[in-house]
């Protein structure tokens, strides 16, 4: 029997964060004030530019079992708004990137101290214009850092990626271009990065190539100099389909956790490896572990985002069909 199927017997159902009518999607989870905040967007379909799409948040104080009333981060008639990245500022407040697609494009950064009230603190129109800005990480001597990627998902050498850095706690940002004019097969997207100490940063990224392409592997990015320069390598992780990664690094055990959703299969997976084993050796990732399940309806499930709270990794993703999707959460346990 296929490993994916035989491992499913005792996987419990995930917790529901939001299943209101519509396309609840692309969630991000953050610890804040002893609880969890889950931010997500809702529209009518899988589309980033529909004007009905807005960004919302709910907070849980019991590990995702129950959720407070939904609060609106932003929902304007001029833009389709989507949550695209989360993190914390230097004071421990939550940061949330929102992509705004209308007559023009922009990316707004919101701050919240309580997970309910969100204040816009920055509005960016970088060039190249990112398709997405990803999760915020803290890098000593640099400040706040995010990855970005730009492109149109076509098989043309027109794609780019890099970093954004802020030395003033998120109020202003400097864009750095790491690679440009990339074909789609060489384009690392939806990057998730972790600062490891001693100037080292590791990131795993999505790949955008087709199911039967030999290049269909997640990328591994590494920096030894606080993000000034990067090495890009292909991993041996090929059980993916436009699978957004989310990383957790456990300093105590030295283990790196790579969570990703295998679209078309309906499986949330993770790979767990010693950081020192995988550093400079991107093809040494071990086999996957099955974590949870969801819809196998291709693009209408996935985009996992994970946060650690003690030994528990809270994994949020969306799942459904072309008309209705729910944001769900699954608490996964790390290894001692």
């Amino acid at each position: 029997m296929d490993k994916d199927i035989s491992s499913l017997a005792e996987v419990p159902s995930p917790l529901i964060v939001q299943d209101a009518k519509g396309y609840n999607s692309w969630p991000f989870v953050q610890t804040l004030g002893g609880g969890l905040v889950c931010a997500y967007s809702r529209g009518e379909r899988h589309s980033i530019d529909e004007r009905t799409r807005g960004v919302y948040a709910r907070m849980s104080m019991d590990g995702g079992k129950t959720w407070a009333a939904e609060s609106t981060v932003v929902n304007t008639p001029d833009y389709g708004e989507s949550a695209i990245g989360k993190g914390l500022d230097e004071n421990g407040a939550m940061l949330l990137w929102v992509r705004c697609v209308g007559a023009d494009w922009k990316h707004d950064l919101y701050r919240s101290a309580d997970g309910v009230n969100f204040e816009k603190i920055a509005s960016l129109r970088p060039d190249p214009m990112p398709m997405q800005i990803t999760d915020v990480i803290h890098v000593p001597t640099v400040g706040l850092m995010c990855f970005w990627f730009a492109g149109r998902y076509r098989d043309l050498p027109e794609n780019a990626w890099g970093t954004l850095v802020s030395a003033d706690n998120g109020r202003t940002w400097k864009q750095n271009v790491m690679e440009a004019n990339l074909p789609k097969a060489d384009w690392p997207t939806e990057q998730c990065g972790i600062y490891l100490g001693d100037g080292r940063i590791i990131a795993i990224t999505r790949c955008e190539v087709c199911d039967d392409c030999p290049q269909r592997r997640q990328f591994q990015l590494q920096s030894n100099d606080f993000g000034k320069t990067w090495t890009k390598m292909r991993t041996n992780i090929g059980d993916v389909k436009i699978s957004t990664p989310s990383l957790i690094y456990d300093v105590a055990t030295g283990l790196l956790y790579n969570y990703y959703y295998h679209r078309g299969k309906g499986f949330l997976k993770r790979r767990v490896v010693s950081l020192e084993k995988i550093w400079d050796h991107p093809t040494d990732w071990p086999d996957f572990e099955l974590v949870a399940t969801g819809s196998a309806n291709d693009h209408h499930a996935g985009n996992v985002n994970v946060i650690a709270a003690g030994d528990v990794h809270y994994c949020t993703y969306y799942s459904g069909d072309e008309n209705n999707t729910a944001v769900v959460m699954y608490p996964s346990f790390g290894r001692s």
Side-chain angles (χ1 to χ4, degrees):
M1 184 178 292
D2 184 274
K3 175 184 175 181
D4 289 346
I5 298 173
S6 64
S7 303
L8 289 176
E10 298 183 5
V11 175
S13 298
L15 306 169
I16 299 295
V17 178
Q18 179 58 278
D19 60 355
K21 181 177 174 57
Y23 206 93
N24 303 276
S25 53
W26 314 322
F28 293 85
V29 61
Q30 178 63 57
T31 52
L32 185 70
L36 298 170
V37 180
C38 186
Y40 49 90
S41 62
R42 183 168 59 250
E44 297 177 353
R45 60 193 188 279
H46 190 111
S47 173
I48 65 173
D49 61 355
E50 53 182 349
R51 298 301 190 268
T52 57
R53 179 168 291 280
V55 178
Y56 308 92
R58 301 187 81 175
M59 190 161 192
S60 174
M61 300 303 294
D62 58 6
K65 296 176 184 176
T66 61
W67 293 87
E70 181 180 86
S71 58
T72 300
V73 178
V74 60
N75 186 3
T76 69
D78 297 325
Y79 292 95
E81 289 125 343
S82 306
I84 55 172
K86 61 96 197 283
L88 295 174
D89 72 4
E90 301 288 357
N91 306 112
M94 181 176 177
L95 296 174
L96 184 67
W97 283 109
V98 173
R99 174 181 55 210
C100 307
V101 179
D104 64 340
W105 281 53
K106 62 176 181 170
H107 297 275
D108 293 341
L109 183 63
Y110 287 82
R111 178 186 183 276
S112 177
D114 58 9
V116 176
N117 301 287
F118 288 80
E119 171 198 10
K120 184 166 68 175
I121 64 169
S123 189
L124 280 65
R125 289 179 170 85
D127 184 17
M129 174 59 73
M131 174 61 66
Q132 186 171 327
I133 301 170
T134 65
D135 285 357
V136 179
I137 60 176
H138 294 246
V139 180
T141 75
V142 175
L144 305 180
M145 180 180 290
C146 309
F147 289 96
W148 60 267
F149 63 95
R152 299 178 65 184
Y153 301 96
R154 302 185 299 183
D155 289 314
L156 296 172
E158 60 184 0
N159 305 296
W161 71 275
T163 63
L164 286 163
V165 296
S166 174
D168 58 6
N169 211 18
R171 298 287 177 177
T172 61
W173 295 82
K174 176 186 176 184
Q175 184 180 34
N176 300 307
V177 178
M178 298 304 164
E179 288 188 294
N181 304 316
L182 291 172
K184 188 167 70 169
D186 295 331
W187 184 32
T189 64
E190 308 217 0
Q191 311 95 325
C192 183
I194 299 283
Y195 179 72
L196 305 168
D198 298 322
R200 295 198 300 173
I201 308 171
I202 194 169
I204 300 297
T205 90
R206 189 165 113 171
C207 63
E208 301 293 339
V209 292
C210 61
D211 291 356
D212 57 355
C213 295
Q215 308 100 318
R216 189 190 67 176
R217 299 287 186 271
Q218 289 184 335
F219 289 101
Q220 183 168 310
L221 309 176
Q222 293 181 186
S223 174
N224 285 300
D225 56 8
F226 300 91
K228 294 179 183 177
T229 61
W230 293 88
T231 301
K232 181 180 72 178
M233 302 165 283
R234 290 188 196 276
T235 70
N236 60 324
I237 303 173
D239 56 320
V240 292
K241 183 173 185 179
I242 46 177
S243 298
T244 301
S246 193
L247 299 181
I248 296 292
Y249 177 53
D250 188 329
V251 177
T253 63
L255 294 177
L256 185 67
Y257 296 77
N258 177 7
Y259 289 86
Y260 57 100
Y261 193 92
H262 194 167
R263 280 174 156 164
K265 293 283 189 178
F267 302 139
L268 175 60
K269 301 176 176 181
R270 75 178 185 184
R271 298 195 186 210
V272 186
V273 70
S274 162
L275 171 66
E276 297 310 318
K277 178 179 180 180
I278 207 65
W279 185 265
D280 286 332
H281 300 282
T283 59
D284 285 350
W285 283 90
D287 204 355
F288 69 84
E289 302 172 1
L290 188 64
V291 177
T293 62
S295 171
N297 196 344
D298 241 11
H299 290 77
H300 307 302
N303 290 80
V304 66
N305 188 257
V306 186
I307 198 72
D311 294 331
V312 183
H313 301 167
Y314 290 97
C315 311
T316 184
Y317 55 103
Y318 77 107
S319 180
D321 58 36
E322 60 272 15
N323 297 312
N324 289 282
T325 57
V327 170
V328 299
M329 176 173 288
Y330 190 90
S332 176
F333 289 87
R335 296 176 179 172
S336 58

